[in-house]
Amino acid sequence: MLENYGTQNVLTLAKKRKSVRHFSKSSFPIDKVIYTLEVAVQAPSGANRQPWKFIIVDDQITKENIRRMCEEQEKLFHEKVDGNLKSWFKTKNISYNKPFLTEAPLLLAVFSDQRQPYATESTWLAIGYILLSLEEVSLSTLTYTPSYPERVKAIFGVPEYYKLEAIMPIGYSEDSKPKEPRKPLKDSVYRNFWGHPLENL
Amino acid sequence: MLENYGTQNVLTLAKKRKSVRHFSKSSFPIDKVIYTLEVAVQAPSGANRQPWKFIIVDDQITKENIRRMCEEQEKLFHEKVDGNLKSWFKTKNISYNKPFLTEAPLLLAVFSDQRQPYATESTWLAIGYILLSLEEVSLSTLTYTPSYPERVKAIFGVPEYYKLEAIMPIGYSEDSKPKEPRKPLKDSVYRNFWGHPLENL
């Protein structure tokens, strides 16, 4: 049953997919999220250690605790931040408020076992898998990383050698903002040596 | 034209996709790799900085230089490694030899701009996008990271604030080894708190 989703190609999914900060309160079958985790665990990982753990949070009180904890830390971070990042936050209207942490019907907290080789790299690769498959099942998300993940992760009861990589709110989008623009491919792709253009682009 | 690939769903692609260390020398249209990079740059990134750079290496001399450089460093690494990783290398028959770096028709070197927020995380997420879209166009790869990427990256003429994240050999698979097994989902997924099972699994 899980394999019945599809069949848009990967480029279509990747282009349609955008980060979303406003979610409908409408619930959805948890099977959709399980589908994306079935996808995620197929990712390769350093020495095939599969260093990821996922906590699906659908309990409202827990979501509220997570939000409060994150906002406390974000407030500290936003007081300290300056320069480019500060002006980017301002342009994008990003504050220490994280309402999506309680508004989305479900949060997916993602951890990596730091004892394993390339744990963070492997886990983010798996997050890439999750994003594309969420789009496939018409769900939206944001790869939100708390500013001080070490302080936030305690709330999940996680062993000390696990790192909190992201807390992803998941739901149907109610965010009308368009996708952030991407640079043309030729700005990011070279041939054989740094700065040499690939003629086909 | 690039959007004509597909239409297997993401779970099918993810399940079929395996890491490959032996490649056919058969060439393939470079458009297939461009397709996967079109996908990659659609990935989200910290503050939308798109911190990735990709170098497509199809020059044989350059590939040979890369291989020699990597093998020198791997040799040093393999002399030092011990414990679990050493025995994993042995079981998997992984040595300091990296023939795939010259046998694959093309290498994709992936870099991240370390001046940007979450540069490594964002870049590996984009690598996840690449893996699924490579599978879609029937190409195989391996997310190989040299043991001492700092020493290897000089060969590409890369600015110092870029980190070499991976060198991915790309080609048609001639690797008969089956995909490494994955743990059951219930070992990696909890509900609301660490260790609490998700009943649906």
Side-chain angles (χ1 to χ4, degrees):
Chain A
M1 190 210 72
L2 285 177
E3 307 211 19
N4 286 343
Y5 296 116
T7 50
Q8 299 166 76
N9 71 17
V10 175
L11 184 57
T12 306
L13 294 171
K15 282 188 168 172
K16 277 171 53 187
R17 193 264 160 203
K18 64 171 188 176
S19 293
V20 154
R21 288 181 177 79
H22 301 284
F23 295 89
S24 157
K25 289 197 187 295
S26 310
S27 65
F28 47 82
I30 198 163
D31 278 1
K32 288 195 174 200
V33 176
I34 294 174
Y35 172 81
T36 72
L37 296 175
E38 291 276 10
V39 170
V41 300
Q42 293 296 326
S45 55
N48 192 32
R49 296 295 165 83
Q50 308 167 58
W52 40 66
K53 295 280 185 196
F54 305 97
I55 302 184
I56 291 179
V57 180
D58 59 355
D59 174 60
Q60 193 59 27
I61 304 285
T62 307
K63 288 197 288 172
E64 281 163 19
N65 288 337
I66 291 168
R67 178 176 172 183
R68 194 171 50 240
M69 190 78 119
C70 287
E71 287 183 345
E72 271 171 25
Q73 300 303 326
E74 292 295 334
K75 211 164 174 173
L76 296 172
F77 180 70
H78 276 255
E79 280 162 9
K80 275 179 36 185
V81 80
D82 55 14
N84 278 345
L85 200 54
K86 186 173 190 158
S87 45
W88 187 82
F89 281 149
K90 210 169 167 181
T91 338
K92 297 298 168 191
N93 209 11
I94 294 174
S95 78
Y96 66 83
N97 271 307
K98 302 297 169 194
F100 53 75
L101 292 174
T102 48
E103 286 169 12
L106 187 148
L107 305 177
L108 181 67
V110 184
F111 304 86
S112 69
D113 182 346
Q114 293 292 311
R115 298 168 302 179
Q116 306 304 344
Y118 302 108
T120 291
E121 289 84 347
S122 307
T123 301
W124 281 89
L125 192 156
I127 291 174
Y129 277 37
I130 292 174
L131 296 195
L132 290 171
S133 47
L134 277 175
E135 185 66 32
E136 194 169 41
V137 298
S138 307
L139 288 172
S140 291
T141 194
L142 176 73
T143 53
Y144 166 67
T145 300
S147 293
Y148 300 105
E150 283 307 300
R151 301 180 200 164
V152 171
K153 77 170 197 187
I155 208 166
F156 297 99
V158 173
E160 58 162 346
Y161 41 84
Y162 276 85
K163 181 180 166 196
L164 172 60
E165 299 284 0
I167 303 177
M168 299 164 64
I170 297 179
Y172 294 116
S173 172
E174 277 193 353
D175 196 334
S176 56
K177 269 207 318 195
K179 180 168 174 142
E180 294 285 322
R182 297 297 189 268
K183 300 177 201 164
L185 202 55
K186 66 175 174 43
D187 290 5
S188 306
V189 180
Y190 302 133
R191 185 175 184 189
N192 288 315
F193 199 76
W194 189 266
H196 288 198
L198 181 72
E199 303 77 1
N200 316 44
L201 298 182
Chain B
M1 190 211 72
L2 286 177
E3 308 210 17
N4 286 344
Y5 296 114
T7 50
Q8 299 165 76
N9 72 17
V10 175
L11 184 57
T12 307
L13 294 171
K15 281 187 169 172
K16 277 170 54 186
R17 192 263 159 204
K18 64 171 189 177
S19 293
V20 154
R21 289 182 176 78
H22 301 285
F23 295 90
S24 158
K25 289 197 188 295
S26 310
S27 64
F28 48 82
I30 197 165
D31 278 1
K32 288 194 175 202
V33 176
I34 294 173
Y35 172 80
T36 72
L37 295 175
E38 290 277 10
V39 171
V41 299
Q42 293 296 327
S45 55
N48 192 33
R49 296 294 165 81
Q50 305 165 61
W52 39 67
K53 295 280 186 197
F54 305 97
I55 302 184
I56 291 179
V57 179
D58 59 356
D59 174 60
Q60 193 59 28
I61 304 285
T62 307
K63 287 196 288 173
E64 280 163 18
N65 288 337
I66 292 167
R67 177 177 173 181
R68 195 172 49 241
M69 189 78 115
C70 288
E71 288 182 344
E72 272 172 24
Q73 300 304 326
E74 293 295 334
K75 211 165 175 172
L76 296 173
F77 180 71
H78 276 255
E79 279 163 9
K80 274 179 34 183
V81 80
D82 54 14
N84 279 343
L85 201 54
K86 185 171 189 159
S87 45
W88 187 81
F89 281 149
K90 208 169 169 180
T91 336
K92 298 298 167 187
N93 209 12
I94 294 175
S95 80
Y96 67 83
N97 272 307
K98 303 295 169 193
F100 52 75
L101 292 174
T102 49
E103 285 168 12
L106 187 148
L107 305 178
L108 181 68
V110 184
F111 304 87
S112 69
D113 182 346
Q114 293 292 311
R115 299 169 302 179
Q116 307 304 343
Y118 302 108
T120 291
E121 289 84 347
S122 308
T123 300
W124 281 89
L125 192 156
I127 291 174
Y129 277 37
I130 293 175
L131 296 194
L132 290 172
S133 47
L134 277 174
E135 185 66 33
E136 193 169 40
V137 299
S138 306
L139 288 171
S140 290
T141 194
L142 176 74
T143 53
Y144 165 66
T145 299
S147 294
Y148 300 104
E150 283 308 300
R151 300 180 200 163
V152 170
K153 78 171 197 185
I155 208 167
F156 296 99
V158 174
E160 58 163 346
Y161 41 84
Y162 277 84
K163 180 180 168 197
L164 172 59
E165 299 283 359
I167 303 178
M168 299 164 62
I170 297 179
Y172 295 115
S173 173
E174 277 192 353
D175 196 333
S176 57
K177 267 206 319 196
K179 180 169 176 144
E180 294 285 324
R182 296 297 188 268
K183 301 175 201 166
L185 202 53
K186 65 174 174 45
D187 289 5
S188 306
V189 179
Y190 302 133
R191 184 174 185 190
N192 290 314
F193 199 77
W194 188 266
H196 288 199
L198 181 72
E199 302 77 1
N200 316 46
L201 300 181

